[in-house]
Amino acid sequence: QVQLVESGGGLVQPGGSLTLSCAASISAFDINTMAWYRQAPGKQREWVAGITSGGATTYKDSLRARFTIYRDNAKNTMYLQMNSLKPEDTAVYSCNALYRFKVYWGQGTQVTVSS
C-alpha cells in the first residue's frame, strides 16, 4: 500500500505561482513513475505531467512552459511548480504513483486562480 498526500493548494491571483507537494508513505526510490493530474469543474480529469524514478519528465504540451515537475526522493516527495497561473488552471490537482504494477492516488488539493 502507498499513501499519497497532496498539499500546497489554495487561492492565487492570475499571474501568480504555487508549488504543490505530493508526499509518499514509502521510499520514493521504490516508486517507478509519479504524475500530476487535474480535474476542473464539469470537466474530465486530465494528465498534467509525469516523472520517472530517474527524473525524466514529460508534460502536457500546453503546460510545459509554465509548469515544472520534480521529485526529491530523499524526502519521498514530488512537486509541481506552477507559474503564471490562469483562471483556467483552477482545478483539483491530484498525484498518483505506480508501484509494483498498481496505481495509487492522493486525495487531491484545490487550486483556485481568481482575482
Side-chain angles (χ1 to χ4, degrees):
Q1 282 281 2
V2 178
Q3 293 181 335
L4 303 171
V5 179
E6 300 97 334
S7 61
L11 175 63
V12 62
Q13 292 187 343
S17 298
L18 276 177
T19 299
L20 306 181
S21 301
C22 172
S25 61
I26 65 168
S27 171
F29 290 103
D30 295 330
I31 298 175
N32 295 345
T33 301
M34 300 183 76
W36 286 99
Y37 285 75
R38 68 183 184 182
Q39 186 167 20
K43 295 187 177 181
Q44 289 189 327
R45 184 167 57 192
E46 66 173 352
W47 173 79
V48 172
I51 186 167
T52 69
S53 57
T57 59
T58 51
Y59 295 91
K60 180 179 175 66
D61 284 344
S62 61
L63 300 177
R64 181 186 307 274
R66 299 187 294 118
F67 288 14
T68 302
I69 187 172
Y70 58 101
R71 60 195 281 179
D72 184 340
N73 287 342
K75 295 183 178 180
N76 301 334
T77 302
M78 175 182 66
Y79 303 90
L80 182 69
Q81 180 179 341
M82 306 183 294
N83 299 324
S84 302
L85 284 163
K86 306 175 181 179
E88 51 264 41
D89 294 318
T90 295
V92 175
Y93 286 72
S94 301
C95 63
N96 79 7
L98 175 63
Y99 174 69
R100 294 186 178 179
F101 308 108
K102 189 172 180 179
V103 176
Y104 296 86
W105 289 90
Q107 82 288 349
T109 185
Q110 176 70 46
V111 172
T112 302
V113 185
S114 175
S115 56

